[in-house]
Amino acid sequence: MIRAHVLICGGTGCTSSGSKAIQKAFAENIEANGLSEEVKVVQTGCFGLCALGPVVIVYPDGTFYSRVTPDDVKEIVSEHLLKGRIVERLVYNDTGADTEKILENVSLSDTAFYKSQNRVVLRNCGVIDPENIDEYIAMDGYAALGKVLTEMKPEDVIKVVSDSGLRGRGGGGFPTGFKWSLCAPNKAPQKYVVCNADEGDPGAFMDRSVLEGDPHCIIEAMTIAGYAIGATKGYVYVRAEYPIAVKRLQIAIDQAHEYGLLGKNIFGSGFDFELYIRLGAGAFVCGEETALMTSIEGNRGEPRPRPPYPAVKGLYNSPTVENNVETFANIPQIILRGADWFASMGTEKSKGTKVFALGGKIKHTGLVEIPMGTTLRHIIDDIGGGIPNGKKFKAAQTGGPSGGCIPASLIDTEVDYDNLTAIGCMMGSGGLIVMDEDNCMVDMAKFFLEFTVDESCGKCTPCRVGTRRLLEILNKITDGKGTIEDIDKLQELCMYIKQNSLCGLGQTAPNPVLATLKFFRDEYEAHVIDKKCPAGVCKNLLTFSIDKDKCIGCGLCAKNCPVGAISKTDYVAEGHKLPSLQIDPAKCIKCGVCMSNCRPKAISKI
């Protein structure tokens, strides 16, 4: 009889940190201690708290162990699983409770990271074995599909989705039910359902984690969508850089076929649906729906002019519905719990929850799912644990290369589609990069623009040429050669690119520049007028100097300087000749190695 379950995170983050070795060590130690009949080891998807991985949770008591190594496993098995004594040093404690209360098994829901979350999309991630269809079924998996095929008409399904207020989670926020209703009436020999799992934003890993932790929910949702619009084939377009997600999705598809939940005559309803995986090569432009469909067809991923829209003429020139992973992941729960349940969460025009990938200068990097309308302050300070090292929050970038930044002055903004649009930002797919006082906003805009320049497909001139001109101006500014006129040129060129580019990549590429110009114009002016980078990031605007009064003449900076830019010298103070060092600005490459090796902190950058 199984009396305990050991859940081990098998998401990409924990896998890269060695969770496979931990899983193997548990299996070996459990067998060595004669516990094979009593303890079951389960590989799950991402728990969300990626900063503390690899993560192990022992049930039924729910003890949360963080940063576990293979060397820790023997102690956990011998002490916790065999003797019932929790290994205190490995227990995750961020509840504010004392150790005694923690060891009384404070629920994960009591921790600062989890207690404000409402896990709808992530409900099964970190809970079930994603490679076991029976565990998904045990969590009401495929019950929504059964309900749809045996109790509902296609128009009833679309009405429920429409009434729920679900909007596309891929960035644009287009109403999902309305999109389905546009496709359903169109007559064609073949219709398609497409899942966009390309997820190209730097720092975004929401869709990957859902596919790794709960792949069956996407299969179920796409089959429901197929029934609603009259499609019998579907494609999941996922980037090849997601090998774990691809593997688990294929396992799930095979299992669904074996159980009769994909293929012919599903649930004896007469409805047929087949699902296929198509791998993308990592082109950011293929996140745009028409470019994605062009890629599935075997052609170079380039966007198409619209209209006609995919609902009329999409994949293989047939009516097509395309949504991203997170959008689909909401569908089964909406069907089971009803439109009113989903609409009760969030704000008036942005219903439900949103998954964010927290990254950058924040304590708790990882995945969070919160109701729409949660303030940015609550996400960063309470759920994310704040900014490390006592630094001040400066801005948060939402929407990746297509989004904009929210400055510290607007940290109390309620995060939903309309509020972000109103301040010149956008939700995007859910990447949320946090920046502190050490980040240069001009450099940040340049980083994202470099990405979009590389990822432009080149089909239209405003994007292909315009973004390169933008980048040239930004490089000029960060090199200390910019002028006030260049700032005006940036603004003008940004608006031209937005208004004239063919697809969403080009239309949104200027957003990081526009947002930083709007909220941090003073930093641009410091770069072009004072020739200084206030954050000390832009190398060509930096000068490293040695404070002779602090310098002890140890020579560590000179020994570690890769270009020999530091030499010993003597100077006279109060009649005494004292040793010191000096930096030759002509040789200095501004790498900062000298500053990091200076024990008395006598070197500074200005």
Side-chain angles (χ1 to χ4, degrees):
M1 178 180 176
I2 301 296
R3 62 174 176 81
H5 287 78
V6 178
L7 273 58
I8 303 173
C9 175
T12 293
C14 285
T15 298
S16 67
S17 299
S19 66
K20 284 288 186 183
I22 293 169
Q23 186 177 347
K24 180 182 178 183
F26 264 108
E28 292 173 349
N29 279 274
I30 286 171
E31 183 177 359
N33 283 274
L35 298 175
S36 299
E37 300 298 319
E38 301 176 46
V39 180
K40 182 178 180 181
V41 178
V42 180
Q43 174 189 256
T44 72
C46 177
F47 290 105
L49 200 48
C50 304
L52 297 179
V55 170
V56 173
I57 301 182
V58 179
Y59 286 102
D61 48 279
T63 303
F64 187 114
Y65 291 122
S66 63
R67 296 195 176 100
V68 178
T69 69
D71 293 337
D72 296 323
V73 173
K74 183 176 181 180
E75 185 178 1
I76 294 174
V77 172
S78 62
E79 290 297 309
H80 189 161
L81 298 177
L82 189 62
K83 302 174 185 176
R85 299 194 291 237
I86 292 173
V87 183
E88 296 183 25
R89 66 182 180 84
L90 297 173
V91 174
Y92 167 59
N93 180 0
D94 194 35
T95 63
D98 58 32
T99 303
E100 183 178 346
K101 289 184 178 179
I102 290 295
L103 299 182
E104 289 174 359
N105 303 322
V106 174
S107 169
L108 277 183
S109 61
D110 292 330
T111 65
F113 183 78
Y114 288 103
K115 67 182 179 182
S116 297
Q117 294 192 47
N118 189 350
R119 293 165 75 85
V120 177
V121 171
L122 302 177
R123 64 193 176 278
N124 289 331
C125 293
V127 176
I128 66 171
D129 179 352
E131 298 181 17
N132 187 336
I133 190 173
D134 293 329
E135 293 200 10
Y136 179 69
I137 291 173
M139 303 295 287
D140 293 328
Y142 292 105
L145 178 60
K147 178 179 179 180
V148 162
L149 295 183
T150 60
E151 301 177 19
M152 301 174 72
K153 297 177 181 178
E155 55 267 29
D156 297 332
V157 177
I158 293 175
K159 186 177 188 306
V160 171
V161 176
S162 298
D163 291 347
S164 73
L166 174 65
R167 296 172 65 173
R169 299 306 199 239
F174 193 81
T176 304
F178 184 53
K179 178 183 280 191
W180 292 15
S181 72
L182 294 175
C183 187
N186 298 320
K187 304 298 181 183
Q190 181 67 60
K191 294 182 180 180
Y192 296 96
V193 177
V194 173
C195 177
N196 182 349
D198 189 57
E199 194 171 48
D201 288 5
F205 51 96
M206 303 76 59
D207 292 351
R208 184 195 75 199
S209 294
V210 173
L211 289 177
E212 291 176 350
D214 196 14
H216 282 284
C217 78
I218 304 305
I219 297 171
E220 182 176 16
M222 292 182 69
T223 309
I224 291 170
Y227 174 74
I229 68 166
T232 58
K233 289 186 179 180
Y235 290 89
V236 181
Y237 186 87
V238 56
R239 51 181 45 226
E241 296 96 327
Y242 287 177
I244 296 176
V246 172
K247 174 191 171 186
R248 291 179 184 167
L249 182 59
Q250 187 61 62
I251 290 172
I253 289 173
D254 294 341
Q255 290 175 342
H257 269 112
E258 184 181 345
Y259 276 51
L261 300 168
L262 274 178
K264 301 287 185 181
N265 193 27
I266 302 172
F267 281 106
S269 63
F271 174 66
D272 304 336
F273 193 76
E274 290 289 349
L275 195 58
Y276 309 94
I277 299 173
R278 288 293 181 268
L279 300 184
F284 182 60
V285 72
C286 287
E288 195 276 337
E289 61 180 0
T290 63
L292 182 152
M293 293 174 195
T294 303
S295 180
I296 291 177
E297 293 167 0
N299 301 311
R300 187 171 187 266
E302 292 181 338
R304 305 167 183 169
R306 296 181 297 180
Y309 291 94
V312 177
K313 191 177 180 181
L315 184 62
Y316 298 114
N317 293 322
S318 301
T320 304
V321 154
E322 183 267 353
N323 291 113
N324 83 325
V325 171
E326 186 181 345
T327 309
F328 278 124
N330 283 288
I331 297 297
Q333 291 297 297
I334 290 173
I335 296 297
L336 285 180
R337 301 193 184 191
D340 291 342
W341 163 79
F342 188 82
S344 68
M345 298 179 285
T347 61
E348 182 182 355
K349 295 183 179 179
S350 299
K351 304 296 185 183
T353 62
K354 182 72 189 78
V355 181
F356 288 98
L358 291 182
K361 307 289 187 66
I362 194 163
K363 182 180 178 182
H364 294 154
T365 56
L367 285 181
V368 302
E369 183 174 2
I370 44 93
M372 289 279 197
T374 302
T375 65
L376 182 63
R377 183 188 298 275
H378 186 57
I379 296 172
I380 293 174
D381 289 347
D382 299 326
I383 300 174
I387 314 299
N389 305 317
K391 298 289 185 178
K392 294 180 180 178
F393 170 69
K394 187 172 189 177
Q397 177 78 11
T398 63
S402 302
C405 62
I406 306 174
S409 60
L410 296 177
I411 194 172
D412 290 309
T413 298
E414 294 183 350
V415 178
D416 67 12
Y417 290 104
D418 300 305
N419 285 336
L420 293 187
T421 300
I423 63 174
C425 298
M426 66 179 294
M427 182 82 71
S429 59
L432 202 159
I433 308 298
V434 180
M435 291 165 278
D436 67 13
E437 58 196 84
D438 292 335
N439 287 102
C440 170
M441 303 310 292
V442 183
D443 181 70
M444 186 279 297
K446 189 173 76 170
F447 167 79
F448 283 115
L449 198 61
E450 286 172 342
F451 178 84
T452 49
V453 166
D454 285 343
E455 295 294 332
S456 173
C457 73
K459 186 171 184 177
C460 71
T461 303
C463 178
R464 182 183 70 249
V465 179
T467 55
R468 288 187 179 276
R469 297 295 85 82
L470 277 180
L471 183 57
E472 287 172 2
I473 296 173
L474 286 176
N475 279 325
K476 183 180 176 184
I477 290 173
T478 56
D479 286 344
K481 301 173 183 177
T483 65
I484 286 292
E485 289 74 20
D486 287 324
I487 298 178
D488 296 332
K489 286 179 186 177
L490 280 177
Q491 186 87 31
E492 181 182 354
L493 187 52
C494 281
M495 298 312 298
Y496 178 84
I497 296 169
K498 283 182 70 70
Q499 293 165 6
N500 293 282
S501 292
L502 174 61
C503 80
L505 187 151
Q507 292 163 10
T508 59
N511 284 352
V513 179
L514 288 171
T516 51
L517 280 172
K518 178 179 180 180
F519 296 120
F520 298 96
R521 190 180 182 91
D522 59 324
E523 288 200 24
Y524 281 86
E525 292 174 348
H527 281 68
V528 301
I529 296 174
D530 303 327
K531 306 301 179 185
K532 297 290 184 184
C533 175
V537 171
C538 301
K539 284 188 177 182
N540 288 335
L541 298 177
L542 292 181
T543 301
F544 284 84
S545 64
I546 299 175
D547 186 335
K548 293 181 178 180
D549 293 329
K550 290 183 179 179
C551 179
I552 59 175
C554 66
L556 277 177
C557 55
K559 290 177 183 177
N560 288 280
C561 179
V563 293
I566 304 175
S567 58
K568 277 203 170 189
T569 184
D570 292 323
Y571 79 104
V572 177
E574 298 180 355
H576 298 282
K577 184 184 289 187
L578 300 174
S580 183
L581 295 107
Q582 65 181 11
I583 300 173
D584 184 347
K587 291 183 179 180
C588 179
I589 60 172
K590 301 167 185 178
C591 63
V593 170
C594 59
M595 189 172 172
S596 61
N597 280 278
C598 182
R599 292 176 180 173
K601 307 299 180 186
I603 303 177
S604 59
K605 57 182 179 179
I606 55 174

